[in-house]
Amino acid sequence: ADTLRLSDVADLGEARANEELVPCDLADKAAVERARRNAELAIIKLAEERGGTLTVTDVASELRMESTHAEALLTHLAADGSRVAPGACTATRTKATGQESPRAAQ
């Protein structure tokens, strides 16, 4: 990813190179929903750039987020057939952990 998106209710000051500051109060459901939609759009764009298939690690490293957040977003996208083709989510076992991780293909 070319841009690191940072969010907080507190003033984050000036954005540095390759940063985007997004003020967001977690108590504001509409703001949280906008932030989630923006992350999903970034994932879809990344999938387009990568030929349609992503792993949790791809999303976490490229969008600079925790793997648990990346996994939750991929799972949400895969569960919603309007955003990801039905049957496009499969599980793959990662070498490092031996645990299954969802994969979403666009």
Side-chain angles (χ1 to χ4, degrees):
D2 296 327
T3 304
L4 173 61
R5 194 169 288 123
L6 303 170
S7 182
D8 200 327
V9 68
D11 182 7
L12 295 171
E14 294 294 319
R16 296 180 186 167
N18 300 323
E19 286 183 347
E20 177 185 348
L21 304 181
V22 181
C24 181
D25 180 354
L26 293 178
D28 181 348
K29 288 184 180 183
V32 171
E33 179 63 19
R34 279 191 304 276
R36 184 188 57 77
R37 278 195 314 268
N38 287 337
E40 289 176 354
L41 291 172
I43 290 170
I44 291 168
K45 180 180 176 186
L46 181 61
E48 289 172 352
E49 293 170 358
R50 299 245 177 137
T53 302
L54 295 175
T55 65
V56 170
T57 303
D58 293 335
V59 172
S61 64
E62 289 296 320
L63 301 182
R64 298 178 185 174
M65 64 176 58
E66 292 182 17
S67 61
T68 55
H69 295 143
E71 182 173 7
L73 285 165
L74 282 172
T75 300
H76 178 76
L77 284 168
D80 180 355
S82 68
R83 298 180 196 175
V84 177
C89 184
T90 60
T92 58
R93 199 167 294 281
T94 61
K95 290 181 183 178
T97 65
Q99 304 220 347
E100 290 190 1
S101 299
R103 292 172 60 93
Q106 186 175 9

